[in-house]
Amino acid sequence: MALHLRYLTTAAAGSALLGLAAYAVFKSGALRPVLVGTIRGGMKAADWIGDKAACVKQGVADMVTEARAVQQKPAAKAAVARPTAKAKASAKSASSPAA
């Protein structure tokens, strides 16, 4: 039991010293420039990611537009190449001689 008490006391003393050291660094103001630099770097990274995402979004939108244009071209060609039954009937009546 004495062994566990010694480890507990050592851990508590070490934690207290570490806490005091962290508090001293925080209060001294030495940590502030590091935190400001870290935040500034995070903001730069967020801007860079936003720019890249916008480029990707624009690229995908361009590809979708191109795919829709390609998809509609064959439909337009098919309408011209294969006339409907109504168009065939009107063409037939126009070509037959009038009585």
Side-chain angles (χ1 to χ4, degrees):
M1 176 134 163
L3 188 60
H4 295 293
L5 186 58
R6 184 172 42 175
Y7 287 137
L8 180 64
T9 306
T10 304
S15 297
L17 286 175
L18 185 62
L20 285 173
Y23 180 74
V25 168
F26 182 71
K27 280 303 209 180
S28 72
L31 193 59
R32 184 175 178 84
V34 173
L35 292 175
V36 169
T38 303
I39 292 170
R40 187 176 47 153
M43 289 171 58
K44 279 184 177 180
D47 289 343
W48 181 81
I49 289 171
D51 290 343
K52 294 300 175 186
C55 289
V56 168
K57 185 178 178 181
Q58 182 63 39
V60 170
D62 290 345
M63 286 187 267
V64 167
T65 303
E66 185 178 343
R68 284 187 178 150
V70 169
Q71 184 180 15
Q72 290 175 358
K73 280 183 183 177
K77 285 181 182 177
V80 171
R82 289 182 262 143
T84 61
K86 199 183 232 185
K88 285 180 185 177
S90 65
K92 199 178 235 184
S93 65
S95 66
S96 64

